[in-house]
């Protein structure tokens, strides 16, 4: 994947709305055939950035390139991109077939060829036989599929998806996530997805750009983003992360020596500190699933720390424990899979928590 | 059944609204020139008199020409203004839209007199064309108000989607925007048409020697003999209005059903 050519390039892209600085120097590239996500809270500029690819927004300075060509002055209807809108934007006065065939109006091919292209596109999104239906009589998930078929029938170089799953219920959303991944692999087109749902981004993407306030905070593959977020903010936005105050004691033999509240002194590798912090004002972060509650007779493979159960939240397959480590006021969250024969602990119970320095991330 | 005061109020209200209109057909078919009870007998004389009257025919033709033209013009201008108002941001937008809507609250007689002064000053001869100008002026704000709602409820991404799929701005408007705001267009056309058809003051000032339906009716009220014929004319107009309104409502509901939208009220 890494040696593929770039499909989209942003070169120091700025966008102003009057005084408001919506995009603050975006430089990034999206590779051909990649499933790429723009992830961030509302108002971070992710949709604006997507719309600069589509041609719906002019940029104030910088450059956007698609497949090596400058897009300045190229209007949306002449760009090799197609978009799936958040509201789906299904034309309500047309049938499913007419919606999907809409982009073929200017296609010089014979009607019979267009018809078979429409049938093919409908089959691809699982709507075979729905062609004659009125578009407004479809369910949310079906509208979504029509929007996909309509955008993909033009065989764009890039498919842009603006929060396409946010209007669906949880079950439908999870099903469409899987279908979108399959569809993307099948057609091999570059997908650019905008979402505020970190789980959705992690599940679907090859790479993710996390955006805050018009800037890309981190651009990485989902695993790197989850395991090695480069700032507390990114860490906080993606999943749950526990933070404990820490102090950098120094470096020895290529390791960073630390002291963290409740955990004592230990060493970590330099790549566990992507933000390169120094001195007192640091903190260590770890995910709930990297800690383990030890039961009678179990011993930690690496390190262990005593604590008291402060809160128990039972989810059926999982139990979330808030545990106060001895000497730390703020409890840390630990997620434990509920295994047959293992009891759920009570609030107030004393326990031992196993952890490993290798699972930590050090932040400024 | 309990007769609450609200129920009585509602009945009185309906009676007040419709009693005069019910009297129209009653006296239109009454065999007598005096508009009073008791009724004398059944006749179609007033209707045949009405159809045979050449001035009335001319007034009707003038009124229809004026009403159709000014409804088309007001709706067309309304489309431009409503589209600009709902889609674009430009300096002075609030002020400009406010000024466009002002004739809505301006006394019609003021509009009529000032138009007359301007037209005479410019040396324009008074005709049905000058009445048309006046009617476009007063009907356009109503058209804009109706079309604003139609354009504002149109999802912007529908237009973007069509543009994104390779259509030009103009073909997007023709293929997507226009069909979806069509119920609004029909409403706007009918309201403007009705405003023009029964408008008296401007027609009275600006028509010159040409009669329109309202000015003709007014002129005939001086002759008691003509009143039953006016009643017959009124009956025909009421019938025509009901037919027109029913057709409009049919198209409006069909448009909404086709677009899968929710019915948020209309004429009927």
């Amino acid at each position: 994947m890494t040696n593929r050519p770039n499909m989209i390039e942003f070169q120091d892209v700025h966008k102003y709305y009057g005084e408001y600085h919506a995009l603050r120097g975006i430089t990034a590239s999206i590779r051909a055939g990649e499933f790429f996500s723009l992830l961030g809270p509302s108002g971070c500029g992710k949709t604006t950035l997507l719309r600069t690819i589509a041609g719906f927004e002019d940029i104030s300075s910088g450059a956007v390139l698609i497949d090596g060509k400058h897009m300045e002055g190229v209007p949306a209807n002449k760009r090799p991109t197609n978009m799936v809108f958040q509201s789906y934007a299904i034309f309500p006065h047309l049938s499913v077939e007419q919606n999907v065939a809409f982009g073929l109006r200017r296609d010089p091919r014979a009607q019979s060829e267009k018809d078979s292209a429409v049938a093919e596109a409908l089959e691809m999104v699982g709507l075979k036989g729905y062609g004659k239906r009125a578009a407004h009589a479809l369910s949310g998930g079906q509208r979504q599929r029509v929007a996909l078929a309509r955008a993909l029938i033009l065989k764009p170089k890039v498919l842009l998806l603006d929060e396409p799953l946010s209007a669906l219920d949880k079950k439908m959303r999870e099903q469409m996530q899987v279908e979108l991944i399959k569809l993307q692999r099948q057609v091999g087109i570059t997908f650019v997805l905008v979402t505020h749902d970190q789980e959705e981004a992690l599940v679907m993407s090859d790479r993710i750009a996390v955006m805050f306030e018009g800037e890309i905070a981190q651009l990485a593959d989902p695993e790197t983003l989850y395991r090695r977020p480069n700032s507390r903010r990114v860490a906080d936005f993606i999943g749950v992360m526990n933070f404990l105050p820490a102090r950098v004691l120094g470096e020895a033999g290529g390791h960073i020596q630390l002291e963290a509240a409740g955990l004592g002194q230990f060493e970590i590798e330099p790549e566990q500190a992507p933000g390169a912090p120094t001195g007192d004002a640091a903190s260590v972060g770890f995910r709930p699933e990297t800690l383990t509650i030890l039961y009678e007779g179990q011993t930690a493979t690496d390190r262990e720390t005593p604590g008291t159960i402060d809160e128990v939240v039972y989810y059926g397959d999982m139990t979330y424990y808030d545990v106060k480590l001895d000497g730390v006021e703020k409890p840390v969250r630990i997620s434990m899979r509920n295994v047959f024969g293992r009891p759920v602990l009570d609030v107030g119970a004393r326990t031992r928590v196993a952890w490993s320095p290798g699972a930590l991330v050090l932040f400024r | 059944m309990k007769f609450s005061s609200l129920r009585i109020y509602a009945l009185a209200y309906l009676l007040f609204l419709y009693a005069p209109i019910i009297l129209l057909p009653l006296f239109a078919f009454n065999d007598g020139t005096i508009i009073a009870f008791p009724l004398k007998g059944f006749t179609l004389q007033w209707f045949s008199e009405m159809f045979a009257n050449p001035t009335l025919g001319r007034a009707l033709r003038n009124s229809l020409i004026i009403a159709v033209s000014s409804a088309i013009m007001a709706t067309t201008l309304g489309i431009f203004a409503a589209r600009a108002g709902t889609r674009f941001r430009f300096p002075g937008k609030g002020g400009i839209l406010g000024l466009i809507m002002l004739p809505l609250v301006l006394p019609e007689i003021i509009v009529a007199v000032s138009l007359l002064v301007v037209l005479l000053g410019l040396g324009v001869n008074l005709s049905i064309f000058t009445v048309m100008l006046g009617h476009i002026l007063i009907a356009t704000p109503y058209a804009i108000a109706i079309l604003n709602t139609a354009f504002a409820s149109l999802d912007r991404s529908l237009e973007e989607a069509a543009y994104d799929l390779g259509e030009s701005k103009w073909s997007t408007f023709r293929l997507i925007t226009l069909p979806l705001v069509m119920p609004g267009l029909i409403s706007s056309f009918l309201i403007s048409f009705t405003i023009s058809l029964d408008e008296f003051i401007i027609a009275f000032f600006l028509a010159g020697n040409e009669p329109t339906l309202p000015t003709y009716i007014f002129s005939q009220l001086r002759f008691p003999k003509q009143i039953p014929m006016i009643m017959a004319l009124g009956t025909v107009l009421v019938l025509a209005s009901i037919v027109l309104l029913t057709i409009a409502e049919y198209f409006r509901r069909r448009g909404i059903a086709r677009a899968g939208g929710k019915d948020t009220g209309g004429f009927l």
Side-chain angles (χ1 to χ4, degrees), chain B residues 53-64 209-213:
Chain B
N53 187 323
T55 328
L56 174 60
R58 190 176 172 78
L60 181 67
R61 214 189 62 218
N62 282 345
S63 270
L64 285 179
N209 295 326
E210 290 291 333
T212 69
L213 218 44

Side-chain angles (χ1 to χ4, degrees), chain A residues 68-282:
Chain A
K69 291 189 189 69
H70 271 269
M71 283 295 129
E72 195 184 340
V74 181
N77 58 353
K78 301 274 186 262
R79 294 196 183 191
T81 61
N82 284 111
M83 185 131 150
V84 172
F85 291 81
Q86 187 170 12
S87 62
Y88 312 139
I90 301 297
F91 306 131
H93 57 305
L94 303 179
S95 70
V96 168
E97 231 167 37
Q98 288 169 321
N99 262 282
V100 175
F102 194 85
L104 298 179
R105 273 172 40 84
R106 283 153 198 262
D107 193 316
R109 281 185 292 172
Q111 192 56 44
S112 61
E113 282 179 67
K114 290 190 197 178
D115 288 344
S116 62
V118 170
E120 198 180 303
L122 280 174
E123 192 170 352
M124 185 172 63
V125 297
L127 282 182
K128 193 179 179 185
Y130 281 77
K132 300 288 179 211
R133 296 230 188 156
H136 62 79
L138 299 177
S139 71
Q142 289 167 337
R143 279 165 196 241
Q144 170 75 76
R145 291 159 199 266
V146 174
L148 275 168
R150 186 178 68 181
L152 285 172
I153 202 166
L154 290 173
K155 302 204 172 9
K157 286 178 178 162
V158 182
L159 184 75
L160 306 169
L161 303 117
D162 184 9
E163 307 237 11
L165 307 179
S166 60
L168 302 177
D169 62 56
K170 191 170 186 291
K171 262 220 163 80
M172 193 70 211
R173 192 159 63 229
E174 284 167 0
Q175 189 190 335
M176 281 307 293
Q177 286 174 1
V178 176
E179 286 193 30
L180 270 177
I181 299 168
K182 283 188 185 156
L183 189 64
Q184 196 264 342
R185 286 191 193 134
Q186 186 190 334
V187 297
I189 291 171
T190 310
F191 277 32
V192 183
L193 172 85
V194 158
T195 181
H196 64 271
D197 182 340
Q198 43 95 11
E199 204 180 285
E200 189 171 296
L202 290 178
V203 169
M204 297 170 78
S205 321
D206 293 318
R207 289 194 306 153
I208 301 168
V210 181
M211 291 181 68
F212 296 116
E213 275 123 38
E215 284 173 302
I216 293 179
Q218 189 171 5
L219 197 167
D221 61 276
E223 200 185 342
T224 306
L225 214 53
Y226 189 77
R227 291 184 52 216
R228 298 267 187 269
N230 64 2
S231 68
R232 275 190 71 148
R233 201 164 180 198
V234 172
D236 236 357
F237 192 75
I238 293 176
V240 178
M241 177 101 49
N242 294 298
F243 297 102
L244 289 172
R247 205 153 58 92
V248 177
L249 301 173
E251 277 185 51
H255 301 295
I256 301 172
Q257 292 177 311
L258 282 181
E259 180 173 25
L263 300 179
Q265 289 192 14
F266 53 92
E267 287 182 345
I268 61 168
E269 303 294 324
E271 64 261 27
Q272 286 171 255
T278 49
D280 286 343

Side-chain angles (χ1 to χ4, degrees), chain B residues 143-212:
Chain B
I144 293 173
I146 292 166
L147 291 168
N148 256 339
T149 321
F151 276 98
S153 61
L154 184 71
D155 181 3
R156 183 176 196 159
S157 51
L158 289 172
E159 291 171 322
E160 284 182 342
Y163 190 53
D164 187 54
L165 290 167
E167 292 301 325
S168 66
K169 293 242 156 114
W170 165 243
S171 61
T172 294
F173 185 77
R174 191 168 54 81
L175 293 167
I176 301 301
T177 316
L178 214 50
L180 291 176
V181 298
M182 194 46 88
L185 289 190
I186 293 173
S187 296
S188 158
F189 178 85
L190 285 171
I191 296 285
S192 312
F193 179 85
T194 314
I195 288 171
S196 167
L197 195 68
D198 73 353
E199 200 285 331
F200 178 78
I201 302 174
I202 288 174
F204 187 71
F205 275 74
L206 301 182
N209 295 326
E210 290 291 333
T212 69

